[in-house]
Coordinates of all heavy atoms in Angstrom, one line a residue:
M1227 N 10.0 -2.6 -21.2 CA 9.4 -1.9 -20.1 C 7.9 -2.2 -20.1 O 7.3 -2.3 -21.2 CB 9.6 -0.4 -20.2 CG 8.8 0.3 -19.1 SD 9.4 1.8 -18.3 CE 11.0 2.1 -18.3
S1228 N 7.3 -2.5 -19.0 CA 5.9 -2.9 -18.9 C 5.0 -1.7 -19.1 O 5.4 -0.5 -19.1 CB 5.6 -3.5 -17.6 OG 5.8 -2.6 -16.5
Q1229 N 3.7 -1.9 -19.2 CA 2.7 -0.9 -19.3 C 2.2 -0.4 -18.0 O 2.4 -1.1 -17.0 CB 1.4 -1.5 -20.0 CG 1.7 -2.0 -21.4 CD 2.0 -0.9 -22.4 OE1 1.4 0.2 -22.3 NE2 3.0 -1.0 -23.2
P1230 N 1.7 0.8 -17.9 CA 1.1 1.3 -16.6 C 0.0 0.4 -16.1 O -0.7 -0.3 -16.9 CB 0.5 2.7 -17.0 CG 1.3 3.1 -18.3 CD 1.6 1.8 -19.0
F1231 N -0.2 0.3 -14.8 CA -1.2 -0.5 -14.2 C -1.6 0.1 -12.9 O -0.9 0.9 -12.3 CB -0.7 -1.9 -14.1 CG 0.5 -2.1 -13.1 CD1 0.3 -2.3 -11.8 CD2 1.7 -1.9 -13.6 CE1 1.4 -2.5 -10.9 CE2 2.8 -2.1 -12.8 CZ 2.6 -2.3 -11.4
T1232 N -2.8 -0.4 -12.5 CA -3.3 0.0 -11.2 C -3.1 -1.2 -10.2 O -3.2 -2.3 -10.7 CB -4.8 0.3 -11.3 OG1 -5.0 1.4 -12.1 CG2 -5.4 0.6 -9.9
A1233 N -2.8 -0.9 -9.0 CA -2.7 -1.9 -8.0 C -3.5 -1.6 -6.8 O -3.7 -0.4 -6.5 CB -1.2 -2.1 -7.5
I1234 N -4.1 -2.6 -6.1 CA -4.9 -2.4 -4.9 C -4.2 -3.2 -3.8 O -4.2 -4.5 -4.0 CB -6.3 -2.7 -5.1 CG1 -7.0 -1.8 -6.1 CG2 -7.1 -2.5 -3.7 CD1 -8.4 -2.1 -6.4
A1235 N -3.7 -2.6 -2.8 CA -3.1 -3.3 -1.7 C -4.2 -3.4 -0.6 O -4.7 -2.4 -0.2 CB -1.9 -2.6 -1.2
T1236 N -4.4 -4.6 -0.1 CA -5.3 -4.8 1.0 C -4.5 -5.1 2.2 O -3.7 -6.0 2.2 CB -6.3 -6.0 0.7 OG1 -7.0 -5.7 -0.5 CG2 -7.2 -6.2 1.9
L1237 N -4.7 -4.3 3.3 CA -3.9 -4.5 4.5 C -4.9 -4.6 5.7 O -5.7 -3.7 5.9 CB -3.0 -3.3 4.8 CG -2.0 -3.1 3.6 CD1 -2.4 -1.9 2.8 CD2 -0.6 -2.9 4.1
I1238 N -4.9 -5.7 6.4 CA -5.8 -5.9 7.5 C -4.9 -5.9 8.8 O -3.9 -6.6 9.0 CB -6.4 -7.3 7.4 CG1 -7.1 -7.5 6.1 CG2 -7.4 -7.5 8.6 CD1 -8.2 -6.6 5.7
A1239 N -5.4 -5.0 9.7 CA -4.7 -4.9 11.0 C -5.0 -6.0 12.0 O -6.1 -6.6 11.9 CB -5.1 -3.6 11.7
K1240 N -4.1 -6.3 12.8 CA -4.4 -7.2 13.9 C -5.4 -6.6 14.8 O -5.5 -5.3 14.9 CB -3.1 -7.5 14.7 CG -2.1 -8.3 14.0 CD -0.8 -8.6 14.9 CE 0.1 -9.5 14.1 NZ 1.3 -9.7 15.0
P1241 N -6.3 -7.4 15.5 CA -7.3 -6.8 16.4 C -6.6 -5.8 17.4 O -5.6 -6.1 18.0 CB -7.9 -8.0 17.1 CG -7.7 -9.1 16.1 CD -6.3 -8.8 15.4
G1242 N -7.2 -4.6 17.4 CA -6.7 -3.6 18.4 C -5.5 -2.8 17.8 O -5.1 -1.9 18.5
Q1243 N -5.1 -3.1 16.6 CA -3.9 -2.4 16.1 C -4.2 -1.5 14.9 O -3.3 -1.1 14.2 CB -2.9 -3.5 15.7 CG -2.3 -4.3 16.8 CD -1.6 -3.4 17.8 OE1 -0.8 -2.6 17.4 NE2 -1.9 -3.5 19.1
Q1244 N -5.5 -1.2 14.6 CA -5.8 -0.4 13.4 C -5.2 1.0 13.5 O -4.8 1.5 12.5 CB -7.3 -0.4 13.2 CG -8.2 0.3 14.2 CD -8.8 -0.7 15.2 OE1 -8.2 -1.8 15.4 NE2 -9.9 -0.4 15.8
D1245 N -5.1 1.6 14.7 CA -4.6 2.9 14.8 C -3.1 2.9 14.4 O -2.6 3.8 13.8 CB -4.8 3.5 16.2 CG -6.2 3.8 16.5 OD1 -7.0 3.9 15.5 OD2 -6.6 4.0 17.7
A1246 N -2.4 1.9 14.9 CA -0.9 1.7 14.6 C -0.8 1.5 13.1 O 0.1 2.1 12.5 CB -0.3 0.6 15.4
L1247 N -1.6 0.6 12.5 CA -1.5 0.4 11.1 C -1.7 1.7 10.3 O -1.0 2.0 9.4 CB -2.4 -0.7 10.6 CG -2.4 -1.0 9.1 CD1 -1.0 -1.4 8.6 CD2 -3.4 -2.2 8.8
E1248 N -2.8 2.4 10.7 CA -3.1 3.6 10.0 C -2.0 4.6 10.0 O -1.6 5.2 9.0 CB -4.4 4.2 10.5 CG -4.8 5.5 9.8 CD -6.0 6.2 10.4 OE1 -6.7 5.6 11.2 OE2 -6.3 7.3 10.0
Q1249 N -1.4 4.8 11.2 CA -0.3 5.7 11.4 C 0.9 5.3 10.4 O 1.5 6.2 9.8 CB 0.2 5.7 12.8 CG 1.4 6.6 13.1 CD 1.8 6.5 14.6 OE1 1.2 5.8 15.4 NE2 2.9 7.1 14.9
H1250 N 1.2 4.1 10.4 CA 2.3 3.6 9.5 C 2.0 3.8 8.1 O 2.9 4.1 7.3 CB 2.7 2.2 9.9 CG 3.5 2.1 11.1 ND1 4.8 2.3 11.3 CD2 3.1 1.8 12.4 CE1 5.2 2.1 12.5 NE2 4.2 1.8 13.2
L1251 N 0.8 3.5 7.7 CA 0.4 3.7 6.3 C 0.4 5.1 5.9 O 0.8 5.5 4.8 CB -1.0 3.0 6.0 CG -1.1 1.5 6.1 CD1 -2.5 1.0 6.0 CD2 -0.2 0.9 5.1
R1252 N -0.1 6.0 6.8 CA -0.1 7.4 6.4 C 1.3 7.9 6.2 O 1.5 8.8 5.3 CB -0.8 8.2 7.6 CG -2.3 8.2 7.6 CD -2.8 9.0 8.8 NE -4.2 9.0 8.8 CZ -5.1 9.8 8.1 NH1 -4.6 10.7 7.3 NH2 -6.4 9.6 8.3
A1253 N 2.3 7.4 6.9 CA 3.7 7.8 6.8 C 4.3 7.4 5.4 O 5.3 7.9 5.0 CB 4.5 7.2 7.9
L1254 N 3.6 6.4 4.8 CA 4.1 6.0 3.4 C 3.6 6.8 2.3 O 4.3 6.9 1.2 CB 3.6 4.5 3.2 CG 4.1 3.4 4.1 CD1 3.5 2.1 3.7 CD2 5.6 3.3 4.1
V1255 N 2.6 7.6 2.5 CA 1.9 8.3 1.4 C 2.8 9.3 0.8 O 3.1 9.3 -0.5 CB 0.6 8.9 1.8 CG1 0.0 9.7 0.7 CG2 -0.4 7.8 2.2
E1256 N 3.3 10.3 1.5 CA 4.1 11.4 0.9 C 5.4 10.9 0.2 O 5.6 11.3 -0.9 CB 4.4 12.4 2.0 CG 5.1 13.6 1.4 CD 5.3 14.7 2.5 OE1 4.6 14.8 3.5 OE2 6.3 15.5 2.3
P1257 N 6.2 10.1 0.9 CA 7.4 9.6 0.2 C 7.1 8.8 -1.1 O 7.8 8.8 -2.1 CB 8.2 8.9 1.2 CG 7.3 8.5 2.3 CD 6.2 9.6 2.3
T1258 N 6.0 8.0 -1.0 CA 5.7 7.2 -2.2 C 5.2 8.0 -3.3 O 5.6 7.8 -4.5 CB 4.7 6.1 -1.8 OG1 5.2 5.3 -0.8 CG2 4.3 5.3 -3.0
R1259 N 4.4 9.0 -3.1 CA 3.9 9.9 -4.1 C 5.0 10.6 -4.8 O 4.9 11.0 -6.0 CB 2.9 10.9 -3.6 CG 1.6 10.3 -3.3 CD 0.6 11.3 -2.7 NE -0.7 10.7 -2.4 CZ -1.7 11.3 -1.7 NH1 -1.4 12.5 -1.2 NH2 -2.8 10.7 -1.5
A1260 N 6.2 10.8 -4.1 CA 7.3 11.5 -4.7 C 8.2 10.6 -5.6 O 9.1 11.0 -6.2 CB 8.2 12.1 -3.6
E1261 N 7.9 9.3 -5.5 CA 8.7 8.3 -6.3 C 8.5 8.4 -7.8 O 7.4 8.7 -8.2 CB 8.4 6.9 -5.9 CG 8.8 6.6 -4.5 CD 8.4 5.2 -4.1 OE1 8.3 4.3 -4.9 OE2 8.2 5.0 -2.9
A1262 N 9.6 8.2 -8.5 CA 9.4 8.2 -10.0 C 8.5 7.0 -10.4 O 8.6 5.9 -9.8 CB 10.8 7.9 -10.6
G1263 N 7.6 7.3 -11.3 CA 6.7 6.2 -11.7 C 5.4 6.1 -10.9 O 4.5 5.3 -11.3
C1264 N 5.3 6.8 -9.8 CA 4.0 6.7 -9.0 C 3.1 7.8 -9.5 O 3.3 9.0 -9.4 CB 4.3 6.9 -7.6 SG 2.8 6.9 -6.5
G1265 N 1.9 7.3 -10.0 CA 0.9 8.3 -10.5 C -0.2 8.4 -9.5 O -0.9 9.4 -9.5
Q1266 N -0.4 7.5 -8.6 CA -1.4 7.6 -7.6 C -1.0 6.7 -6.4 O -0.5 5.6 -6.6 CB -2.8 7.1 -8.1 CG -3.9 7.1 -7.1 CD -5.2 6.6 -7.7 OE1 -5.3 6.2 -8.9 NE2 -6.3 6.6 -6.9
Y1267 N -1.3 7.2 -5.2 CA -1.1 6.4 -4.0 C -2.0 6.9 -2.9 O -1.6 7.9 -2.2 CB 0.4 6.5 -3.6 CG 0.9 5.4 -2.6 CD1 1.2 4.1 -3.1 CD2 1.1 5.6 -1.3 CE1 1.6 3.1 -2.3 CE2 1.5 4.6 -0.4 CZ 1.8 3.4 -0.9 OH 2.2 2.4 -0.1
D1268 N -3.2 6.4 -2.8 CA -4.2 6.9 -1.9 C -4.6 5.8 -0.9 O -4.9 4.7 -1.3 CB -5.4 7.3 -2.8 CG -5.1 8.4 -3.7 OD1 -4.3 9.2 -3.4 OD2 -5.8 8.5 -4.8
L1269 N -4.7 6.3 0.3 CA -5.0 5.4 1.5 C -6.5 5.5 1.7 O -7.1 6.6 1.8 CB -4.2 5.8 2.7 CG -4.6 5.1 4.0 CD1 -4.3 3.6 3.9 CD2 -3.7 5.7 5.1
H1270 N -7.2 4.3 1.9 CA -8.6 4.3 2.2 C -8.8 3.3 3.4 O -8.0 2.3 3.6 CB -9.4 3.8 1.0 CG -9.3 4.6 -0.1 ND1 -10.2 5.7 -0.4 CD2 -8.4 4.7 -1.1 CE1 -9.9 6.3 -1.5 NE2 -8.8 5.7 -2.0
Q1271 N -9.9 3.5 4.2 CA -10.2 2.6 5.3 C -11.7 2.1 5.0 O -12.5 2.9 4.6 CB -10.2 3.3 6.6 CG -10.4 2.3 7.8 CD -10.2 3.0 9.1 OE1 -10.3 4.2 9.3 NE2 -9.9 2.2 10.1
D1272 N -11.9 0.8 5.2 CA -13.2 0.2 5.0 C -14.2 0.8 6.0 O -13.9 0.7 7.2 CB -13.0 -1.3 5.1 CG -14.2 -2.1 4.6 OD1 -15.4 -1.6 4.9 OD2 -14.0 -3.1 4.0
L1273 N -15.3 1.3 5.6 CA -16.3 1.8 6.5 C -17.0 0.7 7.3 O -17.4 1.0 8.4 CB -17.4 2.6 5.7 CG -16.9 3.9 5.1 CD1 -18.0 4.5 4.2 CD2 -16.5 4.9 6.1
A1274 N -17.1 -0.5 6.7 CA -17.8 -1.6 7.4 C -16.8 -2.4 8.3 O -17.2 -3.1 9.2 CB -18.4 -2.5 6.4
N1275 N -15.5 -2.3 8.1 CA -14.5 -3.0 8.8 C -13.3 -2.1 9.1 O -12.4 -2.0 8.2 CB -14.1 -4.3 8.1 CG -13.0 -5.1 8.8 OD1 -12.6 -4.7 9.9 ND2 -12.5 -6.1 8.2
P1276 N -13.2 -1.5 10.2 CA -12.2 -0.5 10.5 C -10.8 -1.1 10.6 O -9.8 -0.4 10.6 CB -12.6 0.2 11.8 CG -13.5 -0.7 12.4 CD -14.2 -1.5 11.3
L1277 N -10.7 -2.5 10.6 CA -9.4 -3.1 10.6 C -8.8 -3.2 9.1 O -7.6 -3.5 9.0 CB -9.5 -4.6 11.1 CG -9.9 -4.7 12.6 CD1 -10.0 -6.2 12.9 CD2 -8.8 -4.1 13.5
A1278 N -9.6 -2.9 8.1 CA -9.2 -3.1 6.7 C -8.9 -1.7 6.1 O -9.6 -0.8 6.1 CB -10.3 -3.8 5.9
F1279 N -7.7 -1.7 5.5 CA -7.2 -0.5 4.8 C -6.9 -0.9 3.3 O -6.5 -2.1 3.1 CB -6.0 0.0 5.5 CG -6.2 0.6 6.8 CD1 -6.2 -0.3 7.9 CD2 -6.5 1.9 7.0 CE1 -6.5 0.2 9.2 CE2 -6.7 2.4 8.3 CZ -6.7 1.6 9.4
Y1280 N -7.0 0.0 2.4 CA -6.6 -0.2 1.0 C -5.8 0.9 0.5 O -6.1 2.1 0.8 CB -7.9 -0.3 0.2 CG -8.9 -1.4 0.7 CD1 -9.9 -1.0 1.6 CD2 -8.8 -2.7 0.3 CE1 -10.7 -2.0 2.1 CE2 -9.6 -3.6 0.8 CZ -10.6 -3.3 1.7 OH -11.4 -4.3 2.2
M1281 N -4.7 0.6 -0.2 CA -4.0 1.5 -1.0 C -4.3 1.4 -2.4 O -4.2 0.3 -3.0 CB -2.5 1.3 -0.8 CG -1.7 1.9 0.3 SD -1.9 3.6 0.5 CE -0.8 3.7 1.9
I1282 N -4.8 2.5 -3.0 CA -5.1 2.5 -4.4 C -3.9 3.1 -5.1 O -3.6 4.3 -4.8 CB -6.4 3.3 -4.8 CG1 -7.6 2.8 -3.9 CG2 -6.8 3.1 -6.2 CD1 -8.0 1.4 -3.9
E1283 N -3.2 2.3 -6.0 CA -2.0 2.8 -6.5 C -2.0 2.7 -8.0 O -2.7 1.9 -8.6 CB -0.9 1.8 -6.0 CG -0.9 1.6 -4.5 CD 0.2 0.5 -4.1 OE1 1.1 0.3 -4.8 OE2 0.0 0.0 -3.0
R1284 N -1.3 3.6 -8.6 CA -1.1 3.6 -10.1 C 0.4 3.7 -10.3 O 1.1 4.7 -9.8 CB -1.8 4.8 -10.7 CG -1.7 4.9 -12.2 CD -2.8 4.0 -12.8 NE -2.7 4.2 -14.3 CZ -2.9 3.2 -15.2 NH1 -3.1 2.0 -14.8 NH2 -2.8 3.5 -16.4
W1285 N 0.9 2.8 -11.1 CA 2.4 2.7 -11.4 C 2.6 2.8 -12.9 O 1.8 2.2 -13.7 CB 3.0 1.5 -10.8 CG 2.9 1.5 -9.3 CD1 2.0 0.9 -8.5 CD2 3.7 2.2 -8.4 NE1 2.2 1.2 -7.2 CE2 3.3 2.0 -7.1 CE3 4.9 3.0 -8.6 CZ2 3.9 2.6 -6.0 CZ3 5.5 3.6 -7.5 CH2 5.0 3.4 -6.2
S1286 N 3.7 3.4 -13.3 CA 4.0 3.5 -14.7 C 4.5 2.2 -15.3 O 4.5 2.0 -16.5 CB 5.0 4.7 -15.0 OG 6.2 4.4 -14.3
S1287 N 5.1 1.4 -14.4 CA 5.7 0.1 -14.9 C 6.0 -0.8 -13.8 O 6.0 -0.4 -12.6 CB 7.1 0.5 -15.6 OG 8.0 1.0 -14.7
D1288 N 6.3 -2.1 -14.1 CA 6.7 -3.1 -13.1 C 8.0 -2.6 -12.4 O 8.1 -2.8 -11.2 CB 7.0 -4.4 -13.8 CG 5.8 -5.1 -14.3 OD1 4.7 -4.9 -13.7 OD2 5.9 -5.9 -15.3
E1289 N 8.9 -2.0 -13.2 CA 10.1 -1.5 -12.6 C 9.9 -0.4 -11.6 O 10.6 -0.4 -10.5 CB 11.1 -1.0 -13.7 CG 11.5 -2.0 -14.7 CD 10.5 -2.4 -15.8 OE1 9.5 -1.7 -15.9 OE2 10.8 -3.4 -16.5
A1290 N 8.9 0.5 -11.8 CA 8.6 1.5 -10.8 C 8.1 0.9 -9.5 O 8.5 1.3 -8.4 CB 7.6 2.5 -11.4
L1291 N 7.2 -0.2 -9.6 CA 6.7 -0.8 -8.4 C 7.9 -1.6 -7.7 O 7.9 -1.6 -6.5 CB 5.6 -1.8 -8.8 CG 5.0 -2.6 -7.6 CD1 4.5 -1.6 -6.5 CD2 3.9 -3.5 -8.1
Q1292 N 8.8 -2.2 -8.5 CA 9.9 -2.9 -7.9 C 10.8 -1.9 -7.1 O 11.3 -2.2 -6.0 CB 10.7 -3.6 -8.9 CG 10.0 -4.8 -9.5 CD 10.7 -5.4 -10.7 OE1 11.7 -5.0 -11.1 NE2 10.0 -6.4 -11.3
A1293 N 11.0 -0.7 -7.7 CA 11.8 0.3 -7.0 C 11.1 0.8 -5.7 O 11.7 1.0 -4.7 CB 12.1 1.5 -7.9
H1294 N 9.8 0.9 -5.8 CA 9.0 1.2 -4.6 C 9.2 0.2 -3.5 O 9.4 0.5 -2.3 CB 7.5 1.4 -5.0 CG 6.6 1.4 -3.8 ND1 6.5 2.5 -2.9 CD2 5.6 0.6 -3.4 CE1 5.6 2.2 -2.0 NE2 5.0 1.1 -2.3
D1295 N 9.1 -1.1 -3.9 CA 9.2 -2.2 -2.9 C 10.6 -2.2 -2.3 O 10.7 -2.6 -1.1 CB 9.0 -3.5 -3.6 CG 7.5 -3.8 -4.0 OD1 6.6 -3.1 -3.4 OD2 7.2 -4.6 -4.8
A1296 N 11.6 -1.7 -3.0 CA 13.0 -1.7 -2.4 C 13.3 -0.4 -1.7 O 14.4 -0.3 -1.1 CB 14.0 -1.9 -3.6
S1297 N 12.4 0.6 -1.7 CA 12.6 1.9 -1.1 C 12.8 1.7 0.5 O 12.3 0.8 1.1 CB 11.5 2.8 -1.4 OG 10.3 2.4 -0.7
A1298 N 13.5 2.7 1.0 CA 13.8 2.7 2.5 C 12.5 2.7 3.3 O 12.4 2.1 4.3 CB 14.7 3.9 2.8
H1299 N 11.5 3.6 2.9 CA 10.3 3.7 3.7 C 9.5 2.4 3.6 O 8.9 2.0 4.6 CB 9.5 4.9 3.3 CG 9.2 5.0 1.8 ND1 10.1 5.6 0.9 CD2 8.1 4.7 1.1 CE1 9.5 5.6 -0.3 NE2 8.3 5.1 -0.2
I1300 N 9.5 1.7 2.5 CA 8.8 0.4 2.5 C 9.5 -0.7 3.3 O 8.9 -1.5 4.0 CB 8.5 0.0 1.0 CG1 7.5 0.9 0.3 CG2 8.0 -1.5 1.0 CD1 6.1 0.9 1.0
Q1301 N 10.8 -0.7 3.2 CA 11.6 -1.6 4.0 C 11.4 -1.4 5.5 O 11.3 -2.3 6.2 CB 13.1 -1.6 3.6 CG 13.3 -2.0 2.2 CD 12.9 -3.4 1.9 OE1 13.1 -4.4 2.7 NE2 12.1 -3.6 0.8
H1302 N 11.4 -0.1 5.9 CA 11.1 0.2 7.3 C 9.7 -0.3 7.7 O 9.6 -0.9 8.8 CB 11.3 1.7 7.5 CG 10.9 2.1 8.9 ND1 11.8 1.9 10.0 CD2 9.8 2.8 9.4 CE1 11.2 2.4 11.1 NE2 10.0 2.9 10.7
F1303 N 8.7 -0.1 6.9 CA 7.4 -0.5 7.2 C 7.3 -2.0 7.3 O 6.8 -2.6 8.3 CB 6.4 -0.1 6.0 CG 5.0 -0.7 6.2 CD1 4.1 -0.1 7.0 CD2 4.6 -1.8 5.5 CE1 2.8 -0.6 7.2 CE2 3.4 -2.3 5.6 CZ 2.5 -1.7 6.4
R1304 N 8.0 -2.8 6.4 CA 8.0 -4.2 6.5 C 8.7 -4.7 7.7 O 8.2 -5.8 8.3 CB 8.6 -4.8 5.2 CG 7.8 -4.7 4.0 CD 8.4 -5.4 2.8 NE 7.5 -5.3 1.7 CZ 7.9 -5.2 0.5 NH1 9.2 -5.2 0.2 NH2 7.1 -5.1 -0.5
A1305 N 9.7 -4.1 8.1 CA 10.4 -4.5 9.3 C 9.6 -4.4 10.6 O 9.8 -5.2 11.5 CB 11.7 -3.7 9.5
R1306 N 8.6 -3.5 10.6 CA 7.8 -3.3 11.8 C 6.4 -3.9 11.6 O 5.6 -4.0 12.6 CB 7.6 -1.8 12.1 CG 9.0 -1.1 12.1 CD 9.3 -0.2 13.2 NE 8.6 -0.4 14.4 CZ 8.0 0.7 15.0 NH1 8.1 1.9 14.6 NH2 7.3 0.5 16.1
A1307 N 6.0 -4.3 10.4 CA 4.6 -4.7 10.1 C 4.1 -5.9 11.0 O 2.9 -6.0 11.3 CB 4.5 -5.0 8.7
G1308 N 5.0 -6.8 11.4 CA 4.6 -7.9 12.2 C 3.9 -7.6 13.5 O 3.2 -8.3 14.0
D1309 N 4.2 -6.3 14.0 CA 3.6 -5.9 15.2 C 2.1 -5.6 15.1 O 1.4 -5.6 16.0 CB 4.3 -4.7 15.7 CG 5.7 -4.9 16.1 OD1 6.1 -6.1 16.4 OD2 6.5 -4.0 16.2
F1310 N 1.7 -5.1 13.9 CA 0.3 -4.6 13.7 C -0.4 -5.1 12.5 O -1.6 -4.9 12.3 CB 0.3 -3.1 13.7 CG 1.4 -2.5 12.7 CD1 1.2 -2.5 11.4 CD2 2.6 -2.0 13.3 CE1 2.2 -2.0 10.5 CE2 3.6 -1.5 12.4 CZ 3.4 -1.5 11.1
L1311 N 0.2 -5.9 11.6 CA -0.4 -6.3 10.3 C -0.7 -7.8 10.4 O 0.1 -8.6 10.6 CB 0.6 -6.0 9.2 CG 0.0 -6.3 7.8 CD1 -1.1 -5.4 7.5 CD2 1.1 -6.1 6.7
E1312 N -2.0 -8.1 10.2 CA -2.5 -9.4 10.1 C -2.4 -10.1 8.8 O -2.1 -11.2 8.6 CB -4.0 -9.4 10.6 CG -4.7 -10.8 10.6 CD -4.5 -11.5 11.9 OE1 -4.1 -10.9 12.9 OE2 -4.7 -12.7 11.9
H1313 N -2.7 -9.3 7.7 CA -2.8 -9.8 6.3 C -2.4 -8.7 5.3 O -2.8 -7.5 5.5 CB -4.2 -10.3 6.1 CG -4.5 -10.7 4.7 ND1 -4.1 -11.9 4.2 CD2 -5.1 -10.0 3.6 CE1 -4.5 -12.0 2.9 NE2 -5.1 -10.8 2.6
F1314 N -1.8 -9.1 4.3 CA -1.4 -8.2 3.2 C -1.7 -9.0 1.9 O -1.3 -10.1 1.7 CB 0.0 -7.8 3.2 CG 0.5 -7.0 2.0 CD1 0.2 -5.7 1.9 CD2 1.1 -7.6 1.0 CE1 0.5 -5.0 0.7 CE2 1.5 -7.0 -0.2 CZ 1.2 -5.6 -0.3
E1315 N -2.3 -8.3 0.9 CA -2.5 -8.8 -0.4 C -2.4 -7.7 -1.4 O -2.9 -6.6 -1.2 CB -3.8 -9.5 -0.5 CG -4.2 -10.1 -1.9 CD -5.5 -10.7 -1.9 OE1 -6.3 -10.7 -0.9 OE2 -5.8 -11.3 -3.0
L1316 N -1.7 -7.9 -2.6 CA -1.6 -6.9 -3.6 C -2.2 -7.5 -4.9 O -1.8 -8.6 -5.3 CB -0.1 -6.5 -3.9 CG 0.1 -5.5 -4.9 CD1 -0.4 -4.1 -4.4 CD2 1.5 -5.4 -5.3
K1317 N -3.1 -6.8 -5.5 CA -3.8 -7.1 -6.7 C -3.3 -6.1 -7.8 O -3.4 -4.9 -7.5 CB -5.3 -7.2 -6.6 CG -5.8 -8.2 -5.7 CD -7.0 -8.9 -6.2 CE -7.5 -9.8 -5.2 NZ -7.3 -11.2 -5.6
R1318 N -2.9 -6.6 -8.9 CA -2.5 -5.8 -10.0 C -3.6 -5.8 -11.1 O -4.0 -6.9 -11.4 CB -1.2 -6.3 -10.6 CG 0.0 -6.1 -9.6 CD 1.2 -6.9 -10.0 NE 1.5 -6.8 -11.4 CZ 2.5 -6.1 -11.9 NH1 3.3 -5.5 -11.2 NH2 2.7 -6.1 -13.3
L1319 N -4.0 -4.7 -11.5 CA -5.2 -4.6 -12.4 C -4.8 -3.9 -13.7 O -4.0 -3.0 -13.8 CB -6.3 -3.8 -11.8 CG -6.7 -4.2 -10.4 CD1 -7.7 -3.2 -9.8 CD2 -7.3 -5.6 -10.4
Q1320 N -5.4 -4.4 -14.8 CA -5.3 -3.8 -16.1 C -6.6 -3.2 -16.5 O -7.6 -3.9 -16.5 CB -4.9 -4.9 -17.1 CG -4.8 -4.4 -18.5 CD -4.5 -5.5 -19.5 OE1 -4.0 -6.6 -19.1 NE2 -4.8 -5.3 -20.8
A1321 N -6.5 -1.9 -16.9 CA -7.7 -1.3 -17.4 C -8.2 -1.8 -18.7 O -7.3 -2.1 -19.6 CB -7.5 0.2 -17.5
L1322 N -9.5 -2.1 -18.9 CA -10.0 -2.6 -20.1 C -10.8 -1.6 -20.9 O -11.0 -1.8 -22.1 CB -10.9 -3.8 -19.9 CG -10.2 -5.0 -19.2 CD1 -11.1 -6.1 -18.9 CD2 -9.0 -5.5 -20.0
A1323 N -11.2 -0.5 -20.3 CA -11.9 0.5 -21.0 C -11.7 1.9 -20.4 O -11.3 2.0 -19.3 CB -13.4 0.2 -21.0

């Protein structure tokens, strides 16, 4: 089993689609926070660029993140994301201090 880690997901909306992206991201928060292994799942929007959103996540293990990726709510999001999502990137971080 892997060690706990933090992840930062960067999601950029297509022009004019930030409200749709925000709505879909907000819908992910509650069910994700209820998942086993999720210690944090917080949605943020960039003050300088309203098209940019960030999920600050804390996972207990790689397996917990994999289960999240396979969850029904994430699969539903992915199926619709092409309508409103321009870019997605996930960075996994290890705390050093």
Side-chain angles (χ1 to χ4, degrees):
M1227 179 143 337
S1228 65
Q1229 297 294 319
F1231 62 92
T1232 299
I1234 299 175
T1236 301
L1237 303 103
I1238 309 295
K1240 290 181 177 179
Q1243 294 297 313
Q1244 64 264 26
D1245 291 342
L1247 178 56
E1248 180 181 352
Q1249 177 183 355
H1250 285 278
L1251 292 174
R1252 285 181 180 273
L1254 298 176
V1255 173
E1256 186 176 332
T1258 299
R1259 286 179 178 168
E1261 292 176 27
C1264 179
Q1266 178 182 2
Y1267 198 77
D1268 297 330
L1269 175 61
H1270 299 267
Q1271 186 174 24
D1272 192 321
L1273 291 172
N1275 178 5
L1277 295 176
F1279 295 85
Y1280 303 92
M1281 271 305 180
I1282 311 300
E1283 309 174 22
R1284 182 83 175 142
W1285 295 99
S1286 63
S1287 65
D1288 290 330
E1289 294 81 7
L1291 180 58
Q1292 290 170 4
H1294 167 67
D1295 287 343
S1297 68
H1299 52 277
I1300 292 298
Q1301 293 303 312
H1302 176 75
F1303 174 82
R1304 286 187 179 145
R1306 308 230 19 231
D1309 295 338
F1310 47 79
L1311 186 63
E1312 178 88 15
H1313 173 78
F1314 172 81
E1315 181 179 3
L1316 182 71
K1317 296 218 184 253
R1318 295 163 44 105
L1319 309 173
Q1320 176 183 338
L1322 298 178

